[in-house]
């Protein structure tokens, strides 16, 4: 008997603002799934989004979606403070989840999301976007294979410049940027916004961090440091010095003030037998490596990395095969633990041990 084809996995996107476009494009090109619903509390944005991607169903809340729609999975793309409540609601309804980063607002919340998802047996993944980048996957393989020897030193940075540029719109007049600058609106600043990516990029190949020191800085950006209801008090810049569990030292930094770099990721991992690096300003598809005789002459080879499946493709595959994949909620919670430790270290002006 020929096997009956599996019906497509039905997906809803919750939160139809800026980043939802990315999710829609990726789900549209992923085989085995169908985008069936959009959810947003803002009716205008919801309509524009569902129209743009020909999504048949539109709802004003997650509760309405879960009541009326026959979906298998959700992508949670709302601002950070809403991730936890929406995730728990969807987990209780047995839905698989792909959640935006940062997973939650702190480690206890992120851990409870990871535990609930595990208990319910639903596929749970965090959208650490740069896992889609082939050079990062290749670098992780190289480091973990031992090809560069024992890791001794790591340099990692994620730089943006939207506080000094209008390339992505004017942050002074747009809610989509202003909430990111305000702790009252649930933002963890640049550390929570893009620092999570670079923490993931550094620890994915090298392994866990056992101690860190962090200095955060918030610059004055408006009269009384306020625009409308937004108090602009979330961190703009973060610099961490870290010790990894394997003994290597590292510096990890992020800022929105790196004029001249709209969105640049840089990672260099040096070991006793070689070094690997990637610099998104040079290429998003190639990595650099210096090993063997090249070490003596400071010669670096640039190598194109073989394309890697997207997080969306792996999420849908996990649902369809029942095989979990990474990065999952537990991984999201581990990164959240590093965020909490960074805030604590900045407060105490002391190194913090990660337990
Ligand atoms: N992985 C990445 O590289 C990346 C990049 C950008 C943003 N993000 C993350 O994506 C999330 C959304 O960011 P964005 O830039 O799209 O923000 P945004 O402000 O552009 O859009 C958020 C949307 O969610 C809607 N919303 C708010 N509360 C809601 C609720 N309870 N139910 C349904 N809809 C609700 C808003 O009306 C808005 O349309 C954030 O967590 C952010 O950190 C991730």
């Amino acid at each position: 008997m020929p096997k009956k084809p599996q019906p497509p996995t039905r997906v809803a996107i919750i939160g139809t603002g800026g980043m939802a476009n990315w999710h829609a494009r990726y789900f549209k090109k992923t085989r085995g799934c169908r985008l069936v619903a959009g959810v947003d509390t803002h009716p205008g944005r919801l309509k524009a989004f569902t129209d743009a991607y020909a999504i048949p169903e539109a709802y004003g809340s997650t509760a309405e979606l879960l009541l009326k729609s026959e979906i298998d999975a959700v992508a949670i793309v709302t601002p950070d403070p809403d991730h936890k409540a929406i995730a728990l609601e969807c987990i209780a309804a047995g839905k698989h989840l792909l959640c935006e980063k940062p997973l939650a607002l702190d480690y206890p919340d992120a851990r409870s999301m990871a535990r609930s998802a595990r208990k319910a047996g639903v596929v749970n993944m965090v959208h650490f976007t740069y896992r889609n980048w082939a050079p990062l996957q290749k670098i992780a393989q190289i480091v973990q294979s031992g090809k560069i020897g024992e890791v001794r030193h790591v340099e990692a940075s994620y730089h943006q410049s939207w506080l000094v540029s209008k390339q992505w719109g004017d942050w002074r007049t747009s809610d989509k940027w202003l909430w990111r600058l305000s702790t009252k609106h649930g933002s963890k600043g640049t550390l929570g916004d893009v620092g999570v990516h670079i923490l993931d990029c550094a620890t994915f190949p090298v392994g866990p961090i056992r101690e860190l020191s962090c200095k955060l800085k918030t610059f004055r950006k408006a009269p009384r440091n306020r625009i409308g209801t937004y108090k602009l008090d979330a961190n703009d810049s973060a610099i961490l010095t870290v010790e990894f569990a394997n003994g290597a030292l590292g510096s990890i930094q992020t800022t929105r003030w790196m004029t001249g770099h709209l969105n640049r990721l840089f990672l260099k991992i040096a070991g006793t037998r070689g070094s690997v690096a990637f610099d998104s300003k040079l290429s998003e598809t190639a990595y650099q490596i210096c090993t063997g005789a090249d070490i003596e002459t400071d010669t670096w080879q640039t190598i194109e990395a073989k394309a890697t499946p997207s997080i969306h493709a792996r999420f849908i595959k996990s649902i369809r095969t029942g095989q979990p994949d990474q990065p999952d909620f537990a991984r999201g919670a581990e990164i959240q633990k590093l965020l909490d430790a960074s805030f604590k270290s900045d407060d105490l002006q002391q190194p913090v041990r990660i337990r």
Side-chain angles (χ1 to χ4, degrees):
M1 281 271 284
K3 244 169 99 183
K4 237 173 107 187
Q6 228 179 331
T9 301
R10 294 154 301 181
V11 181
I13 294 183
I14 305 177
T16 60
M19 195 57 190
N21 292 289
W22 176 287
H23 287 272
R25 285 196 292 268
Y26 270 85
F27 279 125
K28 287 266 174 190
K29 60 185 179 196
T30 297
R31 284 162 62 151
C33 73
R34 188 174 334 129
L35 211 39
V36 294
V39 178
D40 205 293
T41 47
H42 186 287
R45 268 199 293 272
L46 177 62
K47 173 148 182 26
F49 179 79
T50 48
D51 284 355
Y53 296 98
I55 297 170
E57 301 172 29
Y59 303 101
S61 70
T62 303
E64 194 189 353
L65 168 84
L66 295 175
L67 190 69
K68 297 185 180 163
S69 186
E70 305 251 313
I71 47 145
D72 307 298
V74 297
I76 301 173
V77 199
T78 59
D80 313 349
D82 301 295
H83 293 177
K84 183 186 173 195
I86 294 174
L88 294 182
E89 215 177 333
C90 294
I91 290 169
K95 307 302 174 194
H96 306 290
L97 318 106
L98 172 60
C99 185
E100 264 306 343
K101 56 77 224 165
L103 187 56
L105 294 185
D106 58 27
Y107 175 61
D109 276 2
R111 186 182 49 193
S112 84
M113 290 163 75
R115 284 182 179 162
S116 302
R118 196 185 58 229
K119 259 199 199 151
V122 293
V123 172
N124 53 97
M125 292 181 75
V126 187
H127 192 229
F128 286 136
T129 332
Y130 298 98
R131 296 287 187 113
N132 289 349
W133 281 15
L136 178 64
Q137 295 288 345
K138 186 65 193 177
I139 282 175
Q141 261 175 32
I142 291 171
V143 173
Q144 285 154 14
S145 74
K147 185 171 175 182
I148 64 161
E150 288 174 28
V151 177
R152 292 282 192 255
H153 205 88
V154 177
E155 188 186 345
S157 55
Y158 192 147
H159 292 151
Q160 294 189 330
S161 58
W162 53 266
L163 289 173
V164 289
S165 123
K166 292 205 178 83
Q167 181 63 22
W168 297 346
D170 188 350
W171 63 266
R172 291 167 194 82
T173 55
S174 163
D175 289 338
K176 89 178 207 183
W177 298 116
L178 284 165
W179 74 260
R180 289 174 159 83
L181 303 175
S182 165
T183 58
K184 209 180 99 201
H185 290 80
S187 173
K188 295 284 178 183
T190 192
L191 187 63
D193 188 15
V194 296
V196 289
H197 286 304
I198 199 66
L199 284 166
D200 182 58
C201 287
T203 53
F204 169 43
V206 179
I209 288 172
R210 72 170 164 225
E211 187 173 289
L212 63 78
S213 296
C214 175
K215 173 87 181 154
L216 300 172
K217 181 113 186 180
T218 311
F219 291 83
R220 198 179 159 81
K221 294 182 278 294
R224 294 182 299 114
N225 215 21
R226 258 180 195 285
I227 293 182
T229 60
Y230 297 95
K231 185 174 174 201
L232 311 180
D233 60 347
N235 63 81
D236 302 324
S237 299
I239 297 194
L240 285 77
T241 52
V242 307
E243 184 179 14
F244 291 86
N246 62 14
L249 291 187
S251 69
I252 301 179
Q253 54 157 286
T254 181
T255 183
R256 294 169 170 152
W257 289 111
M258 193 54 84
T259 308
H261 288 292
L262 288 173
N263 195 61
R264 180 197 186 206
L265 276 92
F266 177 85
L267 175 67
K268 185 173 282 179
I269 301 171
T272 49
R273 293 209 306 271
S275 283
V276 275
F278 79 78
D279 182 348
S280 66
K281 191 86 180 160
L282 299 177
S283 167
E284 293 184 3
T285 56
Y287 63 98
Q288 290 77 42
I289 183 160
C290 176
T291 47
D294 283 346
I295 294 172
E296 302 304 329
T297 54
D298 190 8
T299 304
W300 288 74
Q301 314 289 337
T302 295
I303 300 176
E304 282 295 312
K306 204 168 133 233
T308 192
S310 69
I311 291 186
H312 294 79
R314 287 192 277 121
F315 175 62
I316 296 300
K317 187 172 173 197
S318 272
I319 295 170
R320 296 173 77 76
T321 60
Q323 294 299 313
D325 205 339
Q326 288 291 327
D328 63 5
F329 277 18
R331 171 70 184 166
E334 283 308 306
I335 297 294
Q336 207 91 36
K337 197 190 267 186
L338 298 177
L339 285 193
D340 288 9
S342 301
F343 285 107
K344 188 170 169 191
S345 166
D346 179 62
D347 260 1
L348 301 175
Q349 298 186 27
Q350 274 177 20
V352 169
R353 207 83 185 155
I354 312 297
R355 294 177 206 287

